[in-house]
Amino acid sequence: MKLYFTISLVLTLFISFSQVKNKIDSLENILNTTQTDTVKVNCYNSISFLLSRKDPEKSRETAKLALEYAKKINYHKGIAFAFFNEGSLFRDANQYENAFESFRNSLTYYELEHDLKGIWTVNSCIGNVFGIKGDYK
Protein backbone atom coordinates (compact mmCIF):
# COMPACT_ATOMS: atom_id res chain seq x y z
CA MET A 1 0.00 0.00 0.00
CA LYS A 2 2.85 2.39 0.84
CA LEU A 3 4.52 1.64 -2.48
CA TYR A 4 1.29 2.31 -4.37
CA PHE A 5 0.86 5.65 -2.58
CA THR A 6 4.48 6.66 -3.27
CA ILE A 7 4.25 5.76 -6.95
CA SER A 8 0.99 7.68 -7.40
CA LEU A 9 2.44 10.71 -5.60
CA VAL A 10 5.54 10.72 -7.83
CA LEU A 11 3.40 10.37 -10.97
CA THR A 12 1.12 13.20 -9.87
CA LEU A 13 4.08 15.51 -9.23
CA PHE A 14 5.68 14.56 -12.55
CA ILE A 15 2.46 15.28 -14.45
CA SER A 16 2.06 18.62 -12.65
CA PHE A 17 5.61 19.71 -13.50
CA SER A 18 5.14 18.58 -17.11
CA GLN A 19 1.97 20.63 -17.42
CA VAL A 20 3.72 23.73 -16.06
CA LYS A 21 6.61 23.23 -18.50
CA ASN A 22 4.15 22.85 -21.38
CA LYS A 23 2.37 26.06 -20.37
CA ILE A 24 5.67 27.92 -20.14
CA ASP A 25 6.74 26.59 -23.54
CA SER A 26 3.44 27.74 -25.06
CA LEU A 27 3.77 31.19 -23.51
CA GLU A 28 7.35 31.50 -24.76
CA ASN A 29 6.18 30.61 -28.29
CA ILE A 30 3.53 33.33 -28.11
CA LEU A 31 6.12 35.74 -26.72
CA ASN A 32 8.46 35.05 -29.64
CA THR A 33 5.77 35.50 -32.30
CA THR A 34 3.59 38.36 -31.07
CA GLN A 35 4.06 42.01 -31.94
CA THR A 36 1.50 43.23 -29.39
CA ASP A 37 3.13 44.77 -26.33
CA THR A 38 0.29 43.98 -23.90
CA VAL A 39 0.40 40.33 -24.96
CA LYS A 40 4.15 40.28 -24.27
CA VAL A 41 3.59 41.78 -20.81
CA ASN A 42 0.86 39.22 -20.07
CA CYS A 43 3.13 36.37 -21.21
CA TYR A 44 6.04 37.58 -19.08
CA ASN A 45 3.74 37.92 -16.07
CA SER A 46 2.25 34.45 -16.60
CA ILE A 47 5.68 32.87 -17.00
CA SER A 48 6.87 34.62 -13.84
CA PHE A 49 3.84 33.34 -11.94
CA LEU A 50 4.34 29.76 -13.18
CA LEU A 51 8.06 29.79 -12.32
CA SER A 52 7.63 31.25 -8.84
CA ARG A 53 7.88 27.91 -7.00
CA LYS A 54 10.16 26.06 -9.42
CA ASP A 55 12.75 28.76 -10.21
CA PRO A 56 12.31 31.91 -8.08
CA GLU A 57 15.35 33.68 -9.55
CA LYS A 58 14.16 33.27 -13.14
CA SER A 59 10.68 34.21 -11.99
CA ARG A 60 12.04 37.46 -10.50
CA GLU A 61 13.94 38.28 -13.72
CA THR A 62 10.82 37.64 -15.78
CA ALA A 63 8.70 39.81 -13.48
CA LYS A 64 11.22 42.63 -13.96
CA LEU A 65 10.93 42.28 -17.73
CA ALA A 66 7.15 42.42 -17.46
CA LEU A 67 7.37 45.51 -15.28
CA GLU A 68 9.74 47.28 -17.69
CA TYR A 69 7.52 46.57 -20.72
CA ALA A 70 4.34 47.45 -18.87
CA LYS A 71 5.72 50.77 -17.63
CA LYS A 72 7.00 51.59 -21.12
CA ILE A 73 3.48 51.28 -22.55
CA ASN A 74 1.69 52.47 -19.38
CA TYR A 75 -0.24 49.20 -19.06
CA HIS A 76 -1.63 49.41 -15.51
CA LYS A 77 -2.88 45.83 -15.18
CA GLY A 78 0.47 44.54 -16.39
CA ILE A 79 2.31 46.75 -13.91
CA ALA A 80 0.01 45.61 -11.11
CA PHE A 81 0.52 41.91 -11.86
CA ALA A 82 4.30 42.31 -12.18
CA PHE A 83 4.45 44.01 -8.77
CA PHE A 84 2.18 41.26 -7.40
CA ASN A 85 4.54 38.55 -8.69
CA GLU A 86 7.50 40.40 -7.22
CA GLY A 87 5.73 40.74 -3.85
CA SER A 88 4.90 37.04 -3.79
CA LEU A 89 8.54 36.17 -4.46
CA PHE A 90 9.73 38.49 -1.68
CA ARG A 91 7.16 37.00 0.71
CA ASP A 92 8.28 33.46 -0.11
CA ALA A 93 11.89 34.54 0.53
CA ASN A 94 10.90 35.96 3.95
CA GLN A 95 11.68 39.51 2.79
CA TYR A 96 8.49 40.93 4.25
CA GLU A 97 9.26 44.65 3.98
CA ASN A 98 10.05 44.28 0.28
CA ALA A 99 6.96 42.13 -0.16
CA PHE A 100 4.79 44.76 1.50
CA GLU A 101 6.23 47.50 -0.73
CA SER A 102 5.64 45.48 -3.90
CA PHE A 103 2.10 44.57 -2.85
CA ARG A 104 1.36 48.26 -2.08
CA ASN A 105 2.62 49.20 -5.55
CA SER A 106 0.46 46.48 -7.07
CA LEU A 107 -2.56 47.69 -5.11
CA THR A 108 -2.08 51.24 -6.41
CA TYR A 109 -2.31 50.09 -10.02
CA TYR A 110 -5.22 47.72 -9.42
CA GLU A 111 -7.07 50.62 -7.78
CA LEU A 112 -6.39 52.82 -10.83
CA GLU A 113 -8.06 50.16 -12.96
CA HIS A 114 -10.92 49.56 -10.47
CA ASP A 115 -10.00 45.86 -10.63
CA LEU A 116 -11.87 44.50 -7.62
CA LYS A 117 -10.46 40.98 -7.90
CA GLY A 118 -6.91 42.35 -8.04
CA ILE A 119 -7.59 44.70 -5.12
CA TRP A 120 -9.03 41.85 -3.03
CA THR A 121 -6.16 39.49 -3.87
CA VAL A 122 -3.43 42.02 -3.04
CA ASN A 123 -5.15 43.12 0.18
CA SER A 124 -5.32 39.47 1.19
CA CYS A 125 -1.58 39.07 0.54
CA ILE A 126 -0.81 42.22 2.52
CA GLY A 127 -2.83 40.78 5.40
CA ASN A 128 -0.89 37.52 5.12
CA VAL A 129 2.42 39.39 5.33
CA PHE A 130 1.29 41.16 8.50
CA GLY A 131 0.04 37.86 9.89
CA ILE A 132 3.34 36.11 9.19
CA LYS A 133 5.19 38.97 10.87
CA GLY A 134 2.80 38.79 13.84
CA ASP A 135 1.88 42.45 13.33
CA TYR A 136 -1.80 42.60 14.23
CA LYS A 137 -2.10 46.34 14.89
Side-chain angles (χ1 to χ4, degrees), residues 10-117:
V10 168
L11 285 175
T12 302
L13 291 174
F14 178 75
I15 291 169
S16 295
F17 289 134
S18 295
Q19 289 174 345
V20 168
K21 181 166 177 15
N22 288 342
K23 287 179 184 178
I24 290 171
D25 289 344
S26 296
L27 289 165
E28 286 174 341
N29 286 335
I30 293 169
L31 192 59
N32 293 328
T33 58
T34 189
Q35 299 297 317
T36 309
D37 288 334
T38 55
V39 172
K40 286 183 180 187
V41 171
N42 291 338
C43 285
Y44 279 131
N45 274 325
S46 295
I47 291 168
S48 175
F49 182 79
L50 290 168
L51 286 172
S52 62
R53 299 275 188 230
K54 183 180 175 189
D55 190 348
E57 190 55 40
K58 188 169 181 184
S59 176
R60 189 180 321 272
E61 292 169 12
T62 308
K64 285 181 184 179
L65 284 172
L67 188 57
E68 288 174 19
Y69 270 97
K71 283 183 173 180
K72 183 174 143 185
I73 61 172
N74 202 31
Y75 178 39
H76 291 171
K77 285 192 176 190
I79 295 169
F81 194 24
F83 275 128
F84 174 80
N85 283 338
E86 185 180 74
S88 297
L89 290 163
F90 282 132
R91 182 198 56 218
D92 294 345
N94 301 325
Q95 298 177 21
Y96 302 122
E97 295 305 317
N98 292 334
F100 176 73
E101 185 66 30
S102 293
F103 286 142
R104 286 291 302 151
N105 289 332
S106 178
L107 183 61
T108 298
Y109 285 96
Y110 279 129
E111 286 173 342
L112 286 172
E113 291 298 309
H114 305 288
D115 183 331
L116 297 179
K117 182 179 178 188

